[in-house]
Amino acid sequence: MKLILAVVQHQDAGHLVEALNELGFRVTRLSSQGGFLREGNVTLLLSVEDSQVNLVIKTVREHCSTRTRYVSPMPPIAESGEFYPPAPLEVQVGGATIFVLKAETAKL
Ligand code: 2BA
């Protein structure tokens, strides 16, 4: 068995969970937050057979898009009377960040 953790963007999570359910996968959806952008994202938990890992990854790839975000860096300490606002930093987010871990499942 494998435990798959998939960090995905909110916009993609609904369709992705539907698709995984239609394929027969059980999914737990957790609200999470990225440490860098401090924006909400979604972490999906799936326990699957080893042979199903590739199908899950393929399905995630099909439903998750890369998006561009712009982050405003902290302004530099201003010299007397001078102010140069820093240019926004372009950041590519997604499609998804996936972790695959060995797992044993027990249902109590
Ligand atoms: P965030 O931490 O909010 O990161 C959002 C995006 O910002 C990242 O997209 C990446 O392009 C950029 N980024 C993150 N840390 C950076 C840094 N120190 N310097 C420059 N740019 C940085 P993704 O790589 O697609 O990650 C999307 C989300 O997936 C992350 O949100 C985080 O919640 C999760 N994630 C990504 N890598 C992870 C890891 N190694 N461990 C745990 N969670 C991870």
Side-chain angles (χ1 to χ4, degrees):
M1 298 292 292
K2 292 284 191 290
L3 175 66
I4 301 178
L5 303 179
V7 184
V8 306
Q9 296 174 71
H10 262 300
Q11 299 95 314
D12 298 324
H15 295 301
L16 174 58
V17 171
E18 273 175 33
L20 290 166
N21 285 159
E22 279 168 20
L23 289 168
F25 293 110
R26 296 182 181 189
V27 183
T28 297
R29 176 180 169 151
L30 305 174
S31 294
S32 47
Q33 186 185 47
F36 187 68
L37 294 180
R38 309 283 167 94
E39 287 185 354
N41 53 27
V42 174
T43 301
L44 303 180
L45 247 64
L46 300 90
S47 171
V48 304
E49 299 289 344
D50 290 14
S51 60
Q52 295 175 315
V53 170
N54 286 342
L55 177 57
V56 171
I57 291 173
K58 176 173 171 278
T59 307
V60 172
R61 186 174 279 129
E62 284 169 359
H63 288 84
C64 294
S65 309
T66 300
R67 295 185 179 85
T68 304
R69 309 280 304 151
Y70 293 92
V71 186
S72 297
M74 293 290 287
I77 297 167
E79 299 288 328
S80 56
E82 294 177 355
F83 178 68
Y84 300 103
L89 185 69
E90 186 178 302
V91 173
Q92 300 290 324
V93 186
T97 302
I98 299 180
F99 305 91
V100 180
L101 308 154
K102 284 184 192 164
E104 285 179 25
T105 307
K107 192 166 180 198
L108 305 178

